């Protein structure tokens, strides 16, 4: 994950570097945002003369960032929105599938209804012709 072109020139001028090791599933944009934010917090707290011996992990703001960025969706609004969109897409696909299944069931019900209607008409005609021979007094 070495893409120095994505880091602003000011970090090279200050000679501050950050390295983040994460798995491939962690979003790159969020990783670079994290690195920039942590480096910025570090530079704000420590003067340049103390960089080589500064207790990097003991800075409260940096610890907070580590906790916050454990979940990219929590740390980054775009990642959160993308996750919400992915969930919505799954729900939408499921809903469309259910609607299509209902449509097939409705087609079956309509066919059965038409069959029942035809059968009842036939029954009526048969009953009428059978009863026409008899006279009820």
């Amino acid at each position: 994950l070495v893409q120095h072109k994505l880091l602003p020139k000011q970090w090279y001028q200050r000679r501050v570097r950050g390295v983040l090791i994460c798995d491939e599933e962690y979003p790159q944009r969020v990783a670079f945002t994290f690195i920039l934010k942590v480096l910025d917090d570090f530079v704000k707290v420590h003067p340049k003369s103390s960089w080589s011996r500064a207790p990097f992990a003991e800075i409260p703001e940096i610890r907070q960032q580590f906790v916050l960025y454990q979940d990219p969706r929590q740390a980054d609004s775009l990642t959160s929105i993308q996750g919400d969109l992915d969930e919505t897409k799954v729900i939408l696909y499921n809903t469309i599938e259910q609607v299509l299944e209902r449509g097939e069931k409705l087609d079956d019900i309509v066919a059965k209804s038409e069959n029942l209607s035809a059968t009842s008409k036939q029954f009526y005609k048969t009953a009428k012709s059978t009863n026409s021979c008899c006279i009820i007094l």
Side-chain angles (χ1 to χ4, degrees):
L1 188 70
V2 178
Q3 295 187 2
H4 66 310
K5 293 178 184 175
L6 296 177
L7 295 175
K9 288 184 178 180
Q10 65 184 10
W11 293 113
Y12 286 112
Q13 292 168 353
R14 292 181 184 174
R15 300 268 187 223
V16 175
R17 305 288 192 281
V19 176
L20 177 67
I21 299 172
C22 56
D23 61 12
E24 291 179 4
E25 294 177 10
Y26 200 86
Q28 277 190 358
R29 191 181 56 73
V30 179
F32 281 107
T33 302
F34 172 73
I35 290 171
L36 291 175
K37 178 104 175 95
V38 168
L39 290 176
D40 191 43
D41 289 347
F42 179 79
V43 170
K44 286 179 185 175
V45 173
H46 293 286
K48 189 173 183 177
S49 60
S50 69
W51 286 356
S52 63
R53 62 187 187 289
F56 187 77
E58 295 178 15
I59 301 170
E61 292 84 6
I62 293 175
R63 282 188 177 197
Q64 291 171 357
Q65 294 302 321
F66 272 110
V67 172
L68 178 66
Y69 277 82
Q70 291 297 314
D71 180 10
R73 290 183 70 174
Q74 184 182 12
D76 183 57
S77 59
L78 289 176
T79 304
S80 176
I81 291 169
Q82 183 63 46
D84 292 344
L85 286 174
D86 291 342
E87 290 174 7
T88 303
K89 186 169 62 171
V90 169
I91 292 169
L92 184 61
Y93 284 142
N94 291 339
T95 303
I96 289 172
E97 188 174 307
Q98 290 172 354
V99 166
L100 291 174
E101 287 175 6
R102 283 188 202 134
E104 290 173 2
K105 290 178 183 177
L106 286 175
D107 290 342
D108 292 344
I109 291 171
V110 167
K112 289 177 182 178
S113 172
E114 290 172 354
N115 188 18
L116 182 62
S117 178
T119 305
S120 69
K121 285 180 185 177
Q122 183 64 35
F123 176 77
Y124 174 75
K125 288 178 184 178
T126 305
K128 189 174 180 182
S129 67
T130 304
N131 289 337
S132 65
C133 69
C134 305
I135 301 176
I136 299 178
L137 298 174

